[in-house]
Each structure stands twice: as C-alpha cells, then as structure tokens.
Amino acid sequence: MCGLRVTVEQGRVAGIRGNPDDAWSQGHLCPKGTTLGHLHDDPDRLRVPLVRTANGTFREVSWTEAYEEVERVLRPVLDQHGAGAMTVYVGNPVAHNLGLASYIGALVGMAGAAGMQAYYSPGTVDQWPLNVVSTLVFGGMWNAPIPDLDRTDHLVILGANPAVSQGSMLSAPDVTGRLTAITRRGGRVVVVDPRRTETAARASEWVPIRPGTDALLLFALLRTLAEEGLVSRPAHLDGRVLGLDEAIALAEPFSPERVSAATGIDAATIRRLAIDLASAGNPVLYSRIGVCTQEFGTLATWLVFVVNVALGAVDRLGGALFPKPAVSSPMFMKPPDQTGAGWEFGRFRSRVSGAPEVLSQFPLGCLAEEIDTPGEGRISALISVAGNPVISAPGARRLDEALPQLDAMICIDNWLNETTRHAHVILPGLSPLERAHADDLYWMYAIASCIKWSEPLFASASDRPGEWELLLRIAGAALGTPVPDVDVTAMDDLYVQGLLATVCATEGTPLTGRDAGAAFTALAGRGPERLVDLGIRLGPWGDDLGSRPGGLTLEEVRRHPDGLRLADLEEGRLTDAVSTPSGCIELIHPHIVSDIPRLAARMERESQPLLLTSRRQLRSNNSWMHNVPTLMRGRDRCTLLVHPADAGALGLADAEMATVETDAGSVDVLVKITAEMMPGVVSLPHGWGHGLPGTRLGVANAHPGINSNLLNPVNVLDVPSNTHVVNGVPCRIRPGVTR
Ligand SMILES: Nc1nc2c(c(=O)[nH]1)N[C@H]1C(S)=C(S)[C@@H](COP(=O)(O)OP(=O)(O)OC[C@H]3O[C@@H](n4cnc5c(=O)[nH]c(N)nc54)[C@H](O)[C@@H]3O)O[C@H]1N2
Ligand SMILES: Nc1nc2c(c(=O)[nH]1)N[C@H]1C(S)=C(S)[C@@H](COP(=O)(O)OP(=O)(O)OC[C@H]3O[C@@H](n4cnc5c(=O)[nH]c(N)nc54)[C@H](O)[C@@H]3O)O[C@H]1N2
Ligand SMILES: [Mo]
C-alpha cells in the first residue's frame, strides 16, 4: 500500500525509496517494500511454466503445453468424481495481488457452482475469529472498526506486534511512528503479550499474559467496568447496540481474582487496567493474530469489541472507527445474504473429521486428511494459488506427505518451493513490477480513505498471461471446457455480467433497479482494470456508472499517480457500516456465547508448564521472502526464545541447540535466552523450514531454519471459528539435538 519511488537504470532497478508525495504513505516504507527489485531479478523466480516429469524433476514448457498438461491431469478427476473432488487453496499474497484478488472469487464461485465444496486458506491460521465476529456483530465478514491511532490517548494492543507486522487488519503507514506519537502527546500504549515485543518495548506498559487467556482478562475488565459503574452509554450508541447488558451479565463469573491464576496477571493489575481505560479521554482496544490463533480466539476477539462498546469507543473519534473505502473489495468471501436473516455456520461438514464449515471453509489442517484418506468424496485435485501450506499449515508433515498422492496439483506460484515442488504443473504469475497494482481489501481497514493505481513498470513477455487469466481458465475447466480451449475473454465478460446482475437486483446499491446489460456496456476494458473501475464507480465517491456525473472513475484516479486522499476516518458511520439484520451492533449470538462454558472451564484447569507461541519478523514475510539476499543478512533468526529462568531449569544454553517436542512432532532449533519472554512461554518464528529436496530457492535454502508447524497440532481449534491454535501449544524442551 505504501507508495514507492523506483529508480531504473538501463532497464534494471537501481533503487527503491518511499515516495514522499504519496497521498497515503507520504514517504514511509518498510523493508518488504524495498525488495521488489530483488523479487523481479531473482534468478530463481519462475518465468515459464514448469511441468513435472516421470522422474520427478521439472521441465520448462510453453504455455500451450502447460495448459494441455493441466487438462491431462485435471480432466480425469473432474470426469470421474466431479468438482467435489477438487479444492482451492487461497494463499496470503492473493490479498496483495490485484489480478488474484480480483478473480479468485471467479474461480472459487464457478468451481463452487460446478460442485466444489469447501475451500481452504490460511484464514483458519489467521483472522477467522475476526471474520466470524465481524459477520455476526457488524453484519459482514470484513466489517469491523479499527483503532483511531491518530486521536486515541489510550491504546491497548493485545496479541499484535505492529512494530514488526506494520499493522494487521489495520492499515497505517508508519504505524510505529503513530504509536510513539500517542505517548508523545501524553497518552498511553499498553501491550498485552507473552513477549515484550518490539511494540511493547516502545509502549508505556507491557502486560505479560499466559497464552490463550485473553478472553478471561477481557471478561474481567468488562466486569470491573460494570462493578465500578464505569460502563459508558453515550448518546451516539443509544438504540444502536443490542445486548450490552447481557454481555455484562455473562462477565459475572470472571472476576479479576478468579481469572488471575490462569492469565498470570494479578487482580489488582486487572482492576487498574480497567480503571485506566475508563479514565482515559479516548480509550480503544485492538487485537490481532495472537488473540485469534489461540484456544479462545473467537471469544477474545468478540470481547475486544464488547469492551470497546462498553467504553463508548465505537464510532467515536479517538476510539474504534469504521473506515470508508473508496472501492469495496469484490472478493468472494462476502456472505451472499449478509443483510438478510443472518448467517448460518456448519451448513456442511468435512468428510473425515466432521469439521463444520465456517464461512465456507474447513480448518486448513483438514486438507491433508481429505487427500490421504481413501473413499468417496476424497480430494484428489488441488489448485493452490500463491500459498505455501507445507510451511504455513499446522500438521505440516502430514500435508507434505499427502500432496504427492493428488492426481492433479496445479500451482499458480512464482517459485519452486516447499509446496509447489509437489505440483504437476506450476503456472507462474508476473513479477510485482510487471503488473498493474491497486489495493482493495486492506482499504477496508485503513486509517484514511485513499485510492491509487500503479501501472506496470516493466513490460512482460508478450505470451505471458496475467494471473487473473489463469484463474478464469481453471474456472472454465471446472465448468467443463478443456483447459486449452477456455475463452478467457468470454469468461471475464460472463463474470462481470454476473456481478452486475447481482448489484442491479440488490436493494440499496447505486445500481438497484438499473438494467444490468446497459450497466455492462458503460464499462470499458477487461480484467482487473475493469473490475477496479467498477469498484471505484460504485464506491462512495464513484460516478455510479454515469448517473452521478463528476464522480470518481479509474480514468480519473489514473491522472493521480501519487494517489488521491479522499477523507480521514470519520465518526457517525454506524448506519452505513453496520449491516446486521437489525441494523444495530448485535453483541449476543448463540454461536459465540455458547463457547463461554468452555472458557469458564479454563479457569479450573492447571496451566501447562511450557507453552509454545508464534512470532513474526520484520525482514520476513511469512515463508516467501527468504530468497531476497538483503533480507537475509546477519545472524540466524529462526530461534527459540526462552526466558532465563526456564533455560536454567531446563539446562539450555544460549546459542546452542535444543529439541522442542509437542504432541504433534519435534524439531531441533537454536536457543536464544532472553528476558523478553515471560517465564513458561517460548516463541518460534513461523515461515521457516526451507532446504527441502526439489526446491529452487538458492538464498532461502542456505538459511533454512525450522518449520514451527511441524509442532502445531491439527486438532486443537478455537471452536466457533475453526481456527488453529498456534499460540499456547504445550511443549517439552531438552538440550541438544535428537538426531
Ligand atoms: N514483516 C512482516 N510483516 C508481516 C508479516 C510477516 O511475516 N512479516 N505477516 C503478515 C501477516 S500474514 C499477518 S496475519 C500479520 C499479523 O500481524 P500481527 O498480528 O501483528 O502478528 P505478530 O507479529 O505475529 O504478533 C502476534 C503477537 O501475539 C503474541 N501472542 C502469542 N500468543 C498470545 C496470546 O495468547 N495472547 C496475546 N495477547 N498475545 C499473544 C505474540 O507473542 C506476538 O507478539 O502480519 C503481516 N505483516
Ligand atoms: N505457526 C504459525 N503458522 C502460521 C502463522 C503463524 O503465525 N504461526 N501465520 C499464518 C498466517 S497469518 C498466514 S497469512 C499464513 C501464510 O500462509 P501461505 O499463504 O500459505 O504462505 P506464504 O508464506 O504467504 O506463501 C506465499 C506463496 O505465494 C507465492 N507468491 C509470492 N508472490 C506471488 C505472486 O505475486 N503471485 C503468485 N502466484 N504467487 C506468489 C510464494 O512463492 C509462496 O509460495 O501462514 C499461517 N501460518
Ligand atoms: Mo496472515
């Protein structure tokens, strides 16, 4: 999202800096942004399709040959078992790649129409609790208020490390600078985390917490606010919130004294945290992945919003505000009926372990068993789009062993890595500098309403398809056309016509009641450009496809290469932003509150002596930027962080190896002893574990690290959202190596 100024000399990137004139980022840049030249030039990056040969190696082929090979492996699966035997894995970069983000919905939607059941994504190792809570409480799965960083005077951050991640489901350039500004203007930043993170180190206060117990802390905060008469009931929320009193009543069993042992936070601190919040002028809570990917992810995420409501902070400047994106994401995940009678979960179940579907997905950890368990309905074809689940999925080893059992594995990916080495065909996309770029989903979490469009910097070989075309080609194949024969242009038209028909038939859109055919002819171009144009024109500043003259279009946005800044965060957006059946913020749902007994039982349970957690790193991006040499300088950073007291008790030495073991597996890893961990909790970065045979990642393979998901179990889940627990996994550690 940050604007770049790229210097090109003799056709090569000579340097990348933040663009000081960028309407959004005003010159800010994180280390990931500086790497696009390296990604472009990486000799390991795939530029032509690869096909696996009989002896297991890969052969470079023409695009025609690649399509024929996809047809050869995929068609028998579809003919014999139907599209129900196929699934799609939607990897993280899909959300950051214009072509993929614009058309992944076409693939998943059309394959679904052909009979595909659930699909998979890292969502269930990430933000699914947030999606569940957003759907039920605010009425849309990507609908949630974000902290008003620039006006709050008391920010409590739980389970997020924005100094490293740059903000997650919270888009803000220079987020670290903005956090520092809070304390500089006399406010407070409190970080609740088992680790004194890079963010905590800059904060006013670090509150260490036992992993998986944030919901207990938050209930205790809510109860204290109620007990002290500090619940705020501001006029702007009057009649706009349902269920606050019920939520407060549910907090009754969770007194600070009772949650203290489980959370590891003493009761006096919990009471003081509650009173600090209530005494602040503009308090707000923000939570992210450490709170989602834990035992009570949904309840904890829900309670963050409940407490924000109880503080009167929602939809108030300085509190939690609903962004107003200039373009709404056309991503497919939007529930078809989100403004109707509500949303249902568990409409169908997974074949092997019977996991209920949540927002059309099964837990990612189910994928392996759906492939390697024989029987009717087995998954035998996988389309993996910009994902590396062999590294990112809990139960990683079983998945690594299951993928070779697929009859058809097609990867749309730019590298031959731990996952794609199992593919029958790898179809590479263009480099980030060869394709146009615009963001969409993340404007929905942004601290300002901006819009930008970037043209490709470099031309690509003339025969290279965009990734969006690959998605449509496979969608066409799922619907019955041989892969080489799919008419991508016709598919694109069909998709856009379908979208327009829906928008015209839906109440309350800018096109309600208009003729879908006429709307279609008002649009020019093709592919992602046409979809972005549509999104802008139907957005809050748009020209409504001609009926609001002077309104924004892509053509106008293109005249502003530094982007357009349209508005700052505003309050008073409840009517526009909340789309629940009642139109109110709905705090109480059986799907969420039925999990409270499980949480209450947690208070009675002894804590395990050692719990494993995950962390991110500034110069990594999940698993896939480790092939960039400039990001890999310096010492091995795939280390197990251990508190000195634990290291002493376990006999571990700094910079020496140790074996970590869980019920799921064991790995040998380098130890780093540091008081930044709370005692009883250790931390491993995720995204490592390179060096596997058959991969083509020269730089990454020289610094392999270990895969923390060899340790994370598949069957330990946050119940309401089906999200994997990768924070708070009981483990055992001993010095030395196993082998
Ligand atoms: N540089 C960089 N940036 C990234 C990424 C990257 O890999 N590198 N990845 C991107 C992606 S895909 C995502 S989803 C975002 C995630 O962004 P963040 O949510 O900010 O992710 P993390 O940095 O992993 O921070 C999670 C924190 O939760 C803490 N934690 C663990 N267990 C618990 C618990 O039970 N309770 C509490 N309160 N805290 C706990 C961990 O110690 C850690 O500090 O970052 C994105 N940005
Ligand atoms: N233990 C543990 N596990 C975790 C997490 C954790 O905190 N702890 N975090 C989870 C989270 S939040 C996430 S988002 C996931 C990430 O999980 P994934 O999305 O599965 O993994 P990534 O490492 O992001 O892999 C991205 C893939 O996209 C490819 N790629 C990169 N750029 C492009 C492109 O432009 N086009 C195409 N077609 N391909 C491209 C890369 O080669 C790589 O294969 O991991 C999850 N797993
Ligand atoms: Mo993520």
Side-chain angles (χ1 to χ4, degrees):
M1 294 174 88
C2 290
L4 308 179
R5 189 160 283 177
V6 185
T7 314
V8 177
E9 284 167 12
Q10 279 146 18
R12 282 182 67 97
V13 173
I16 297 188
R17 286 184 301 125
N19 173 9
D21 301 325
D22 188 85
W24 161 253
S25 54
Q26 292 153 2
H28 176 74
L29 195 57
C30 85
K32 290 176 289 178
T34 62
T35 64
L36 299 196
H38 296 282
L39 297 176
H40 180 76
D41 292 330
D42 184 348
D44 290 335
R45 182 172 60 81
L46 305 181
R47 289 150 172 91
V48 287
L50 295 184
V51 162
R52 186 138 51 97
T53 63
N55 67 13
T57 58
F58 282 92
R59 187 164 62 85
E60 296 192 348
V61 298
S62 68
W63 283 93
T64 313
E65 221 181 313
Y67 297 150
E68 281 163 2
E69 182 65 7
V70 175
E71 176 68 13
R72 193 186 69 78
V73 294
L74 187 59
R75 187 60 54 197
V77 173
L78 295 171
D79 282 349
Q80 285 162 34
H81 310 286
M86 157 183 160
T87 196
V88 176
Y89 177 73
V90 181
N92 172 277
V94 171
H96 307 279
N97 174 317
L98 173 64
L100 293 176
S102 310
Y103 283 85
I104 192 73
L107 173 60
V108 171
M110 292 186 197
M116 183 181 86
Q117 212 190 19
Y119 66 98
Y120 296 84
S121 85
T124 53
V125 204
D126 190 344
Q127 81 297 331
W128 232 231
L130 179 63
N131 295 124
V132 166
V133 170
S134 299
T135 302
L136 295 176
V137 174
F138 303 113
M141 71 181 283
W142 304 107
N143 238 13
I146 60 162
D148 185 7
L149 292 180
D150 292 344
R151 278 170 286 214
T152 178
D153 63 352
H154 191 105
L155 173 65
V156 177
I157 300 176
L158 304 101
N161 187 10
V164 160
S165 66
Q166 312 297 305
S168 177
M169 313 306 277
L170 165 60
S171 310
D174 190 17
V175 67
T176 313
R178 286 169 202 279
L179 297 180
T180 310
I182 297 174
T183 47
R184 204 172 291 143
R185 62 178 177 259
R188 283 178 70 74
V189 176
V190 177
V191 174
V192 180
D193 197 299
R195 177 176 166 236
R196 184 167 41 77
T197 59
E198 295 79 352
T199 306
R202 295 173 168 93
S204 326
E205 182 177 0
W206 171 44
V207 181
I209 185 167
R210 292 286 291 167
T213 64
D214 297 77
L216 294 174
L217 168 68
L218 289 158
F219 255 143
L221 292 176
L222 181 63
R223 188 183 185 279
T224 306
L225 290 175
E227 193 178 63
E228 303 286 333
L230 296 173
V231 171
S232 171
R233 299 188 190 265
H236 78 279
L237 293 180
D238 195 27
R240 310 306 299 263
V241 175
L242 300 179
L244 180 58
D245 291 318
E246 289 95 319
I248 290 170
L250 290 167
E252 179 52 32
F254 303 94
S255 66
E257 287 72 20
R258 283 202 68 204
V259 306
S260 176
T263 56
I265 308 173
D266 62 73
T269 302
I270 298 175
R271 285 184 192 283
R272 201 245 315 144
L273 290 171
I275 289 165
D276 285 353
L277 273 167
S279 325
N282 288 309
V284 64
L285 278 64
Y286 161 71
S287 71
R288 257 310 275 133
I289 195 166
V291 161
C292 282
T293 51
Q294 55 143 290
E295 193 177 356
F296 301 102
T298 301
L299 279 177
T301 302
W302 173 68
L303 279 161
V304 165
F305 293 113
V306 174
V307 174
N308 275 334
V309 167
L311 293 167
V314 173
D315 199 35
R316 184 176 75 190
L317 290 182
L321 296 175
F322 293 93
K324 184 171 166 182
V327 40
S328 308
S329 172
M331 281 177 66
F332 57 92
M333 295 90 158
K334 191 173 176 187
D337 191 24
Q338 63 169 315
T339 53
W343 186 249
E344 239 184 286
F345 299 91
R347 293 164 299 163
F348 49 89
R349 286 182 174 267
S350 73
R351 178 179 65 103
V352 180
S353 57
E357 131 315 305
V358 174
L359 298 168
S360 302
Q361 294 196 22
F362 294 140
L364 177 52
C366 285
L367 180 56
E369 66 187 23
E370 292 296 327
I371 295 169
D372 70 17
T373 311
E376 187 55 37
R378 174 184 163 247
I379 293 294
S380 50
L382 172 67
I383 316 298
S384 180
V385 185
N388 194 4
V390 165
I391 302 282
S392 49
R397 188 176 309 279
R398 182 167 174 184
L399 185 63
D400 196 32
E401 287 165 3
L403 294 178
Q405 300 170 38
L406 288 165
D407 297 320
M409 177 167 169
I410 315 301
C411 292
I412 299 181
D413 205 287
N414 293 1
W415 280 272
L416 177 49
N417 64 15
E418 298 77 14
T419 296
T420 61
R421 71 194 173 120
H422 296 303
H424 294 94
V425 186
I426 309 177
L427 305 170
L430 299 171
S431 102
L433 297 177
E434 292 168 332
R435 59 190 190 224
H437 182 69
D439 296 283
D440 63 5
L441 179 66
Y442 293 99
W443 289 128
M444 299 176 75
Y445 298 88
I447 60 159
S449 305
C450 292
I451 183 91
K452 287 195 275 183
W453 174 271
S454 306
E455 301 294 347
L457 185 60
F458 296 130
S460 53
S462 60
D463 68 333
R464 293 212 44 193
E467 287 159 292
W468 64 277
E469 295 175 84
L470 300 173
L471 295 174
L472 285 174
R473 192 171 284 281
I474 295 170
L479 291 172
T481 309
V483 179
D485 301 341
V486 173
D487 181 344
V488 168
T489 303
M491 293 284 294
D492 185 23
D493 286 349
L494 198 70
Y495 181 55
V496 177
Q497 284 159 349
L499 288 178
L500 286 169
T502 308
V503 180
C504 291
T506 305
E507 272 315 307
T509 77
L511 299 186
T512 308
R514 275 170 65 178
D515 177 62
F520 183 70
T521 51
L523 282 171
R526 62 199 283 266
E529 281 189 44
R530 178 162 64 181
L531 279 182
V532 172
D533 187 38
L534 177 63
I536 293 171
R537 298 174 72 181
L538 298 187
W541 286 271
D543 79 340
D544 291 357
L545 285 190
S547 61
R548 204 159 31 134
L552 213 53
T553 61
L554 176 59
E555 198 187 344
E556 177 61 24
V557 171
R558 278 187 142 132
R559 291 193 195 110
H560 306 269
D562 294 326
L564 284 170
R565 194 179 183 95
L566 300 163
D568 291 329
L569 284 174
E570 295 161 13
E571 58 185 12
R573 301 228 337 105
L574 286 177
T575 307
D576 278 348
V578 176
S579 53
T580 56
S582 66
C584 294
I585 296 172
E586 296 182 3
L587 293 180
I588 300 295
H589 285 273
H591 189 75
I592 297 173
V593 299
S594 61
D595 203 29
I596 293 176
R598 194 171 67 92
L599 177 68
R602 174 66 186 82
M603 287 190 293
E604 315 307 327
R605 197 175 78 204
E606 250 335 273
S607 279
Q608 299 286 321
L610 267 183
L611 296 177
L612 174 67
T613 58
S614 290
R615 72 177 187 276
R616 284 184 158 60
Q617 298 176 313
L618 188 61
R619 289 181 296 131
S620 297
N621 188 15
N622 300 325
S623 76
W624 74 275
M625 281 196 182
H626 293 149
N627 216 43
V628 176
T630 51
L631 297 181
M632 298 300 285
R633 292 202 193 108
R635 275 197 247 147
D636 187 351
R637 57 184 195 264
C638 184
T639 53
L640 180 77
L641 305 183
V642 186
H643 186 271
D646 293 324
L650 296 162
L652 305 178
D654 192 53
E656 293 200 1
M657 299 296 284
T659 300
V660 189
E661 190 186 36
T662 66
D663 292 346
S666 111
V667 300
D668 299 332
V669 64
L670 198 64
V671 169
K672 183 173 171 196
I673 299 178
T674 166
E676 74 190 39
M677 292 312 299
M678 71 185 281
V681 184
V682 296
S683 167
L684 265 181
H686 97 105
W688 297 87
H690 308 297
L692 298 184
T695 57
R696 195 182 293 172
L697 293 168
V699 180
N701 286 348
H703 311 262
I706 56 94
N707 181 355
S708 65
N709 281 318
L710 297 171
L711 297 172
N712 290 319
V714 291
N715 54 355
V716 184
L717 297 162
D718 165 54
V719 175
S721 70
N722 261 344
T723 300
H724 288 283
V725 174
V726 297
N727 287 296
V729 176
C731 67
R732 302 165 287 280
I733 304 174
R734 54 176 186 278
V737 295
T738 322
R739 272 161 266 131

